[in-house]
Amino acid sequence: AIMELMKKLVGVIAGVLLVVAGYVCWALLRPLPLLTPSVKLQTIDAQPFTSDKLDSGRGAIGFVNPANREISCRALGNGEEYASPKPTASIAKLITAQVVLGKMPLAKGESGPSLSLNSQDEASYWQDLAVGGSSVQMMAGQTISQRQLLEGTLLASANNMANRLAIWAFGSMDNYRQVASQWLRDYELADTIIGTDASGLDPSTKSTPTDLCKILLLASQQPILAEIMSEPEATMPSGEVIHNTNRLLGRDGVFAGKTGFTHEAGRGVVTASRRRIDGVTVIVGVVSMGNDSYNTAFRRTEQLLESSRRDIAVSQLKANTSVGKLSSTWGASRLVTAKPVTVPYWVDSPPKSKFVHYLSDEVDSASAGSIYGQLSLGNNQINVITERTIKPASLTWRLTHPF
């Protein structure tokens, strides 16, 4: 009887061991659920764009992305009157200054090389004066620095100094036109035409408000030009003190700009301002061309600067911002941004968010800091990484979690 009982006991134990062994094999070999991602994308609702409703003349508004220096500009209004190139007047001098600096660069605070003026320079001064164009005295025997020529060109809008700069840098006006035309092509300013002079006095230099906005914002990012255009006044070799024609300088963040007038172009004002938008400093540019007076031009410019607060917004994601989760039944990690991103945008066309997986969905573990995918916010891409390590399921976990 005892032997019979022992046989039964051994059978039970063997059965139990067999079941246990079977369970262990099943627990260790069974496929487990893979890591499951969940991503929550940012959604921004579109808002009405109000600058289009303003009386802006031939206007445009734009901004510089502080993260990558990309420029975005848009025309205000519509139709042939706004889309076709028109005479720029002295706004063309922003092109001249940038093209010359491409050949003869100056750092912020520098005066640059000096030029001895001759009788031809003096004759140009009297000629410009006779036709009623803006000019600053240049007399034979005087010495003038490159910076002073730029100051006369941009602050007092001196035609004679703009043309002298171009010829000094390139040897002739024809050479300047060739280089300036290539500069326009390099920056994809297809609606701007370089005319017969470097000053804009001749109506053959033409552009659109959108191109002028881009030209302004390009100039505002050059430290030497931003420095010069922010000067209220400057002293010329003759001792003459010239004054900045930008009435808005120093108000509401305005630090750069240019005015211009000819009978063909009317009065024009372009202005750059550093504005705080959603906690971020953004360079905003506004253009108002074809005005009947400078009072009208500056009034419209102020209105556009004010409307920029409503029509430009900024979306920000800081580094380590959570955008989702990577999880399993045995571990989880937040999915976070690898670096910050700043995206200014027009309120009526906010940036769209999109997530693209890099890792295969068929994974059961991930290391901390590994790139899981890429988040697109408008034209900006940032990597999304795992915040912590998710190890494969351990032996203990497999044995203690049958379901």
Side-chain angles (χ1 to χ4, degrees):
I2 293 176
M3 292 298 296
E4 190 67 27
L5 183 62
M6 289 295 293
K7 286 181 180 181
K8 289 182 179 181
L9 183 59
V10 168
V12 169
I13 292 173
V16 170
L17 290 176
L18 185 62
V19 170
V20 170
Y23 170 76
V24 170
C25 290
W26 171 80
L28 295 181
L29 299 177
R30 68 183 169 118
L32 293 177
L34 299 170
L35 297 181
T36 303
S38 59
V39 177
K40 185 176 182 180
L41 298 179
Q42 182 182 32
T43 301
I44 305 173
D45 294 329
Q47 303 295 329
F49 184 80
T50 61
S51 294
D52 248 347
K53 297 178 173 60
L54 297 175
D55 176 21
S56 61
R58 296 182 67 238
I61 185 172
F63 59 80
V64 180
N65 186 331
N68 55 21
R69 301 180 67 181
E70 287 185 359
I71 291 172
S72 178
C73 290
R74 62 190 286 176
L76 304 177
N78 51 61
E80 182 70 18
E81 173 64 21
Y82 296 87
S84 59
K86 304 284 186 183
T88 65
S90 288
I91 312 299
K93 294 180 173 78
L94 289 174
I95 301 173
T96 308
Q98 293 181 80
V99 173
V100 167
L101 287 171
K103 177 72 178 296
M104 302 169 62
L106 278 184
K108 186 177 179 179
E110 289 184 344
S111 295
S114 294
L115 174 71
S116 295
L117 302 179
N118 55 35
S119 57
Q120 187 173 352
D121 298 316
E122 184 173 336
S124 288
Y125 165 66
W126 292 115
Q127 182 180 354
D128 282 343
L129 205 62
V131 298
S134 300
S135 59
V136 171
Q137 188 181 100
M138 295 172 66
M139 295 296 174
Q142 291 177 344
T143 300
I144 191 168
S145 69
Q146 181 184 352
R147 184 189 182 98
Q148 286 176 312
L149 281 170
L150 285 167
E151 288 172 330
T153 298
L154 296 175
L155 302 188
S157 202
N159 297 324
N160 57 330
M161 289 193 167
N163 291 327
R164 189 65 183 93
L165 257 178
I167 293 172
W168 185 17
F170 300 102
S172 69
M173 195 60 69
D174 284 341
N175 290 343
Y176 164 75
R177 279 196 294 271
Q178 291 180 21
V179 177
S181 296
Q182 183 59 52
W183 183 85
L184 294 175
R185 289 190 289 272
D186 290 344
Y187 286 99
E188 299 180 351
L189 299 164
D191 294 324
T192 301
I193 304 160
I194 302 297
T196 60
D197 62 19
S199 67
L201 179 63
D202 191 281
S204 54
T205 297
K206 298 179 179 181
S207 189
T208 60
T210 305
D211 269 14
L212 291 177
C213 176
K214 294 175 183 177
I215 290 164
L216 164 70
L217 292 176
L218 285 168
S220 71
Q221 295 181 80
Q222 289 211 34
I224 182 64
L225 294 183
E227 181 180 53
I228 287 174
M229 287 189 285
S230 68
E231 294 174 348
E233 61 183 35
T235 302
M236 296 291 99
S238 63
E240 177 186 3
V241 176
I242 60 172
H243 299 277
N244 198 322
T245 59
N246 186 355
R247 298 180 194 173
L248 301 180
L249 186 66
R251 293 165 50 186
D252 209 14
V254 171
F255 70 97
K258 186 75 190 71
T259 62
F261 166 72
T262 62
H263 293 292
E264 296 86 354
R267 273 86 174 173
V269 174
V270 299
T271 300
S273 170
R274 295 186 182 96
R275 309 188 73 78
R276 256 341 242 182
I277 301 176
D278 296 331
V280 177
T281 300
V282 179
I283 296 177
V284 173
V286 301
V287 175
S288 181
M289 300 294 292
N291 299 284
D292 57 5
S293 71
Y294 275 126
N295 286 338
T296 300
F298 279 108
R299 174 178 55 79
R300 287 171 166 171
T301 298
E302 286 183 292
Q303 290 175 341
L304 289 176
L305 285 171
E306 181 58 31
S307 70
S308 71
R309 296 185 188 276
R310 301 184 297 271
D311 290 340
I312 301 170
V314 178
S315 176
Q316 294 183 80
L317 287 177
K318 297 181 179 179
N320 295 316
T321 297
S322 176
V323 297
K325 189 177 182 181
L326 189 61
S327 59
S328 69
T329 50
W330 63 89
S333 170
R334 291 198 312 163
L335 294 172
V336 298
T337 52
K339 64 178 183 178
V341 62
T342 300
V343 183
Y345 62 92
W346 305 112
V347 295
D348 61 342
S349 54
K352 305 295 184 183
S353 297
K354 182 181 179 182
F355 183 78
V356 178
H357 290 268
Y358 279 173
L359 292 181
S360 166
D361 287 336
E362 299 181 359
V363 295
D364 62 359
S365 62
S367 300
S370 60
I371 299 174
Y372 185 77
Q374 187 179 74
L375 178 66
S376 297
L377 187 59
N379 295 325
N380 300 264
Q381 289 80 38
I382 49 173
N383 287 331
V384 172
I385 61 175
T386 52
E387 185 179 44
R388 53 174 294 187
T389 295
I390 306 176
K391 295 180 179 180
S394 67
L395 174 62
T396 301
W397 189 94
R398 282 178 171 268
L399 292 175
T400 57
H401 291 78
F403 303 105

